[in-house]
Amino acid sequence: MRKAPPSSTPLAFWRIGDGAPPAGPFVALAPGADAPLLTLTLPATLKGPAREDVARRQIRDRLGPGLDLRPLGAEGWTRAAVAHRADVLRWRGALGTAAARCRGILPDYLALPTAPGLWSVQAGRDGLVVRLGPEDGFTAEPDLARQMLRQALAGPGPAAVLRLGADAALDALFDGLAQATDPAELPAGIVPRPLAAADLAVDFARDPHADAAGIETRLRRALWPAAL
C-alpha cells in the first residue's frame, strides 16, 4: 500500500496531461468532472469490503457496468468517487515511467484546501473546481458549477470561502460571506488541512480487487503447508 511522506514534505501535484510529471513523489490529478462524488444509501452495519460490494451494485444498477468507485470518508462512509474503468486505465497509462513515484490518482477537487465550514473554489481554464468541506466536492463547467453552488447555498452556508483564481461571476454569489484569496487570510479558527489519509484513499491508481486477491493468495500460501 502506498504511504504518503511526512506532512513536513508536501506532495507535488501533477494534472494528468500537463507536461511531464514531477521528478519526485507526486499525486496525479484526474479531471473531477470524470470522477464525481455520488451519495449512496448503505446500511450502517455494513463494513469493509462488504460495504464496497453493496455500493458497487448500487452504482451498477443506477449507471450501468464498467465503473470503478473509491469511497471517501471514515468507516461508515456514504459517498464515493465514481469513474469509468476506461478512463481509469487511461489515467494510469499516462503515468508512464513515473508510475513508481506516483502516490495516487485523485479527482482534482480533493487537492483543494479543506476544513469544516470552508468552501474552496478554484477557477480554472476548463471550469470550476470546488471543495465543499472534507467530504464533498465537484468539478464542472462554469455555468453548471455556479448553479450547483447556488443549490448548495440553499442549505447551511460556509463559514468562509477560499477563492483561488478570478471569476467575477462569483462575486454576487458569495456576497455577504467571509472570503479570502489566501489560506493565511481566512477567519480565525479555520485552518485548511493538507491531503488527509481519507483523500489519499480515493486512489484510482490502485486496484482494490487486485490488492484483495494478492492478500488472499499470500494467505493461502502461508496456511496451506500448515494445513498439510
Side-chain angles (χ1 to χ4, degrees):
M1 180 180 292
R2 297 180 178 86
K3 292 184 179 179
S7 58
S8 58
T9 309
L11 281 167
F13 292 122
W14 174 65
R15 188 172 294 277
I16 292 173
D18 281 4
F26 67 95
V27 169
L29 300 181
D34 295 332
L37 278 174
L38 300 184
T39 301
L40 302 158
T41 303
L42 300 168
T45 53
L46 277 179
K47 310 292 183 185
R51 194 174 186 85
E52 288 195 36
D53 287 342
V54 173
R56 198 168 286 108
R57 286 197 295 270
Q58 284 191 20
I59 294 295
R60 186 174 61 244
D61 291 344
R62 286 165 57 178
L63 301 175
L67 295 168
D68 277 5
L69 70 82
R70 299 292 185 275
L72 173 64
E75 190 175 62
W77 55 270
T78 58
R79 312 207 78 201
V82 178
H84 286 282
R85 180 73 175 172
D87 288 334
V88 173
L89 295 177
R90 177 168 51 82
W91 299 336
R92 292 177 186 172
L95 298 174
T97 57
R101 302 196 307 276
C102 180
R103 297 299 179 262
I105 298 175
L106 307 184
D108 53 15
Y109 49 78
L110 292 183
L112 293 182
T114 187
L118 174 66
W119 287 9
S120 295
V121 182
Q122 183 178 56
R125 65 187 182 208
D126 299 321
L128 296 182
V129 184
V130 179
R131 189 83 186 261
L132 303 176
E135 296 188 5
D136 200 359
F138 63 86
T139 301
E141 59 88 19
D143 289 340
L144 175 59
R146 294 183 200 113
Q147 181 59 33
M148 294 171 72
L149 285 167
R150 289 188 191 96
Q151 292 176 357
L153 284 168
V161 179
L162 179 62
R163 296 182 59 178
L164 306 170
D167 185 341
L170 296 176
D171 293 345
L173 190 63
F174 294 138
D175 186 38
L177 296 173
Q179 301 180 53
T181 57
D182 188 300
E185 300 169 354
L186 289 167
I190 299 181
V191 182
R193 63 160 171 76
L195 276 177
D199 300 325
L200 288 168
V202 187
D203 178 11
F204 286 100
R206 65 183 178 87
D207 189 331
H209 287 294
D211 294 344
I215 292 171
E216 185 178 352
T217 299
R218 289 194 294 273
L219 284 173
R220 279 206 204 97
R221 287 173 179 168
L223 293 175
W224 186 242
L228 290 174

